[in-house]
Amino acid sequence: MTTPTPNTRHLGILLFDQMEELDAIGPWEVFAWWTQHFPGDGYAATTFSADGGPITCEKSLVVQPHHSAASVPALEVLLHPGGDGTNAQLDDPSHLQWLREQRSHVPLMTSVCTGATVFAAAGLLRDRPATTNRTALDQLAQIDSTITVRGGERYVDDGDLITSAGISAGIDMALHIVGRLAGAARSREVREGIEYAAEASN
């Protein structure tokens, strides 16, 4: 495990009850493999939940975060997963306000699957292109009609905000983020390292 330094830039994955497992674990594999094999790039991956306590995922996997929202280091990238747990977040004023606060100082906000609907509810996607799980595309448009909804795309990069489609698409988005932060060659090395291909060859 790489020991962060004062200059380390942190990639944080939010964890919460009833999140979809692969929305978080897929990107975690990408970020953790990258940062542990190439510490010289200056990044570290971490996870956090609201109170730092363990969370139970949609399919019953229990995960212990590294931090609480209060103790997590300042983030360069924040990743918000999706899953059934996002239904409650859509009407949670404190969570939506917390996201708006993060938006003001986190350089890159990202979502996987229905995490985009929570971003929309917080007003983060107003007048922007975005995608989400194919089953939630209509919901995304209903939450905020100003969003240019892009179905059929694995992820949509709009500069300081990236949204991805459902579940496994988060892996593709995470590899794209590695490419943005450390270059296309590094992204290819990570893809090869985790033996991942966006489309199976057989």
Side-chain angles (χ1 to χ4, degrees), residues 46-121:
T46 194
T47 60
F48 65 102
S49 65
D51 62 3
I55 64 95
T56 302
C57 300
E58 191 174 304
K59 299 176 182 69
S60 79
L61 179 68
V62 177
V63 183
Q64 173 62 59
H66 298 100
H67 295 281
S68 68
S71 70
V72 69
L75 297 177
E76 184 79 10
V77 178
L78 188 156
L79 186 146
H80 193 304
D84 288 349
T86 59
N87 293 327
Q89 293 172 338
L90 293 173
D91 298 311
D92 183 344
S94 62
H95 184 70
L96 299 179
Q97 180 57 32
W98 177 81
L99 280 176
R100 296 181 194 108
E101 292 168 358
Q102 300 311 299
R103 182 70 188 85
S104 69
H105 58 80
V106 176
L108 180 56
M109 300 281 288
T110 72
S111 68
V112 179
C113 196
T114 55
T117 63
V118 186
F119 277 10

Side-chain angles (χ1 to χ4, degrees), residues 23-191:
D23 284 6
I25 304 304
W28 167 259
E29 177 64 30
V30 172
F31 292 156
W33 199 97
W34 167 37
T35 58
Q36 292 180 26
H37 285 80
F38 298 98
D41 288 348
Y43 290 88
T46 194
T47 60
F48 65 102
S49 65
D51 62 3
I55 64 95
T56 302
C57 300
E58 191 174 304
K59 299 176 182 69
S60 79
L61 179 68
V62 177
V63 183
Q64 173 62 59
H66 298 100
H67 295 281
S68 68
S71 70
V72 69
L75 297 177
E76 184 79 10
V77 178
L78 188 156
L79 186 146
H80 193 304
D84 288 349
T86 59
N87 293 327
Q89 293 172 338
L90 293 173
D91 298 311
D92 183 344
S94 62
H95 184 70
L96 299 179
Q97 180 57 32
W98 177 81
L99 280 176
R100 296 181 194 108
E101 292 168 358
Q102 300 311 299
R103 182 70 188 85
S104 69
H105 58 80
V106 176
L108 180 56
M109 300 281 288
T110 72
S111 68
V112 179
C113 196
T114 55
T117 63
V118 186
F119 277 10
L124 305 189
L125 299 180
R126 186 165 185 78
D127 296 317
R128 304 186 74 153
T131 194
T132 186
N133 187 295
R134 60 185 174 81
T135 66
L137 293 169
D138 289 343
Q139 181 187 24
L140 188 64
Q142 290 166 3
I143 292 172
D144 185 343
S145 62
T146 72
I147 298 171
T148 302
V149 178
R150 293 185 179 173
E153 297 189 28
R154 294 293 280 176
Y155 56 84
V156 174
D157 185 335
D158 193 40
D160 56 355
L161 200 150
I162 307 175
T163 54
S164 83
I167 311 177
S168 65
I171 299 173
D172 298 319
M173 183 184 73
L175 287 164
H176 173 72
I177 291 170
V178 174
R180 272 190 46 168
L181 299 178
R186 181 70 80 236
S187 182
R188 285 194 298 272
E189 289 175 301
V190 175
R191 181 185 292 273

